[in-house]
Amino acid sequence: MPQQHESGMKITESCRDKGITTATFYRWKRKYSGMDAKQLKELKSLQDSNQLLKQMYADLSYPPHP
């Protein structure tokens, strides 16, 4: 979507096409600007791994009651 904006499409039009708010657009822009596709994939992979580790820790810390 940032590519659409950079090509001259208005932000409001881009957001409407994708079904997001302009606030979401700017939040994502602030968070992810400057990252290329490889970096975004690596970030997603690290987030997934972190979530898995958190779930494993929670499972070990709070065993189910019999």
Side-chain angles (χ1 to χ4, degrees):
M1 188 152 100
Q3 296 83 4
Q4 290 175 335
H5 172 62
E6 290 170 0
S7 68
M9 186 178 218
K10 290 186 178 183
I11 294 171
T12 53
E13 292 175 13
S14 296
C15 293
R16 190 176 310 118
D17 289 345
K18 299 297 180 183
I20 63 169
T21 65
T22 53
T24 298
F25 173 83
Y26 286 113
R27 185 174 55 244
W28 288 351
K29 184 178 177 183
R30 184 176 61 243
K31 187 173 182 180
Y32 301 115
S33 68
M35 291 187 178
D36 60 16
K38 183 179 177 183
Q39 290 170 322
L40 288 171
K41 286 179 185 180
E42 185 176 348
L43 176 62
K44 176 69 174 148
S45 176
L46 289 171
Q47 289 173 335
D48 291 345
S49 296
N50 192 34
Q51 184 60 37
L52 178 64
L53 289 170
K54 285 180 179 182
Q55 185 61 49
M56 289 171 57
Y57 177 77
D59 290 344
L60 290 172
S61 297
Y62 304 105
H65 291 51

